Amino acid sequence: MRAVVYDGFGRPPEVAEVPDPSPPSHGVVVRVEATGLCRSDWHGWMGHDPDIRAFPHVPGHELAGVIEAVGPNVREWAPGARVTVPFVCACGGCEQCRAGNEQICDRQRQPGFTHWGSFAELVALDWADVNLVGLPDEVGAAAAAGLGCRFATAYRAVLQVGRAQPGEWVAVHGCGGVGLSAVMIAAAAGARVVAVDVSEAALEAARAAGAELAAAAGADVRELTGGGAHVSLDAIGSEAACAASVAGLRKRGRHVQVGLLPDPPRVPMDLVIARELELLGSHGMAARAYPELLALVEAGRLRPGDLVTREIGLDEAPAALAAMGEGAGSGVTVIRPGG
């Protein structure tokens, strides 16, 4: 099969012919119809993720496709089914999985990190009966690819971890793929959204996604919102965005860290104490929680496909991955390995 491969952290990725994967005994092989380009892929390429330990390596972790082959221990899936999958593939049997916290499974596998990922024509996925999510016919591949990471991650961060309520102010710092998803989800839930970014193009995209206010980085969110955000997300992963998110909260507000940070950030803990703030982490969403999200997508209340601004072929993916280090951009790029 053809895949994007790199031979070391930061080394130029290229498209190459590599061996086809085989399905794990409890897993499947999926023919990739579409896979999203996420900043997490860039972090992995730069050596910021300890799960990448061997080379050559194939990145990619948010995908939609059709099951090509199944392992002998798979009971609920057969070739031909259209599926997506959370980027955390949970084992289903550890302490966290038994408690319903599959998104922080103790034995989790992550395509594109623990093993070869979806910047390829085929990808192997573990524990299919626990993790695969069937796709409705109404949800196209480009829109569905984001359900594996950026859109589902934002959904859980805003509504389940951040507990955003109608009428509350939600601040989103960083309007890349995850941030724009968070803007759309918070607005659809009836929250008032203020988007913050360094790029005017990203802010314009945030307005289109439902942001009531859009402000350049450094703006006083507490002043803009008449006292501060009730919920605030660092959706890009930088020390400055994290600190600004915390500083922009009103008393007893909730900060949700979604963006990956390669180094431990300095956080204004004096404000955390004085305002009794909550600092929360959010790490994807378990497959069992997808029906509620998919129902909203099918009903047209959430439109992940609207955020896709570019579709590219596999040959263009190496340059697009490298360009992620230059900024989050103002939309979502989807790779079509078969296109």
Side-chain angles (χ1 to χ4, degrees):
M1 68 173 182
R2 297 176 75 237
V4 174
V5 179
Y6 53 84
D7 290 321
F9 295 130
R11 297 190 63 181
E14 62 181 9
V15 177
E17 288 284 344
V18 298
D20 290 358
S22 299
S25 64
H26 47 66
V28 300
V29 168
V30 168
R31 182 163 294 278
V32 181
E33 293 184 324
T35 180
L37 179 63
C38 177
R39 191 168 173 82
S40 299
D41 300 312
W42 179 84
H43 278 292
W45 174 53
M46 293 303 294
H48 301 157
D49 193 302
D51 286 329
I52 300 175
R53 301 173 181 173
F55 300 103
H57 185 72
V58 177
H61 64 282
E62 53 178 35
L63 66 119
V66 177
I67 296 176
E68 183 94 350
V70 301
N73 296 328
V74 175
R75 299 290 177 261
E76 299 181 14
W77 298 94
R82 290 186 68 237
V83 296
T84 187
V85 65
F87 73 88
V88 172
C89 289
C91 73
C94 70
E95 179 182 359
Q96 292 300 331
C97 286
R98 293 195 304 272
N101 299 318
E102 293 92 342
Q103 74 280 354
I104 51 171
C105 168
D106 291 331
R107 297 197 296 146
Q108 63 188 256
R109 299 274 290 163
Q110 295 185 23
F113 298 96
T114 60
H115 61 289
W116 283 10
S118 56
F119 285 13
E121 293 174 329
L122 300 167
V123 62
L125 302 171
D126 294 273
W127 299 300
D129 289 339
V130 178
N131 297 295
L132 294 189
V133 178
L135 289 173
D137 292 339
E138 296 79 8
V139 182
L147 301 179
C149 179
R150 83 185 89 92
F151 208 82
T153 293
Y155 185 85
R156 184 166 177 272
V158 171
L159 299 180
Q160 298 172 2
V161 176
R163 311 187 304 279
Q165 300 297 313
E168 288 189 327
W169 278 105
V170 175
V172 178
H173 294 260
C175 297
V178 173
L180 291 175
S181 300
V183 169
M184 178 181 286
I185 290 161
R192 305 177 69 184
V193 181
V194 53
V196 181
D197 201 283
V198 297
S199 163
E200 180 53 41
L203 295 176
E204 187 58 36
R207 293 184 189 98
E212 181 175 335
L213 300 175
D220 188 338
V221 170
R222 282 168 61 84
E223 180 178 347
L224 289 172
T225 58
H230 299 84
V231 181
S232 187
L233 284 69
D234 171 7
I236 186 63
S238 78
E239 184 174 289
C242 175
S245 175
V246 172
L249 287 167
R250 68 181 60 213
K251 290 181 177 180
R252 311 216 76 192
R254 288 98 66 193
H255 164 79
V256 185
Q257 187 64 40
V258 181
L260 295 177
L261 291 151
D263 298 305
R266 293 169 293 180
V267 178
M269 295 302 292
D270 56 329
L271 300 180
V272 175
I273 296 168
R275 298 179 191 166
E276 292 194 351
L277 305 178
E278 294 182 52
L279 303 184
L280 304 162
S282 188
H283 191 243
M285 190 169 77
R288 62 178 177 78
Y290 273 66
E292 178 183 284
L293 168 57
L294 283 173
L296 293 171
V297 174
E298 284 188 89
R301 292 184 58 192
L302 294 175
R303 304 171 309 283
D306 288 359
L307 303 179
V308 177
T309 54
R310 184 171 64 141
E311 295 188 24
I312 62 175
L314 206 58
D315 291 322
E316 300 168 88
L321 174 63
M324 291 293 286
E326 300 169 8
S330 58
V332 170
T333 296
V334 168
I335 301 163
R336 295 279 200 166

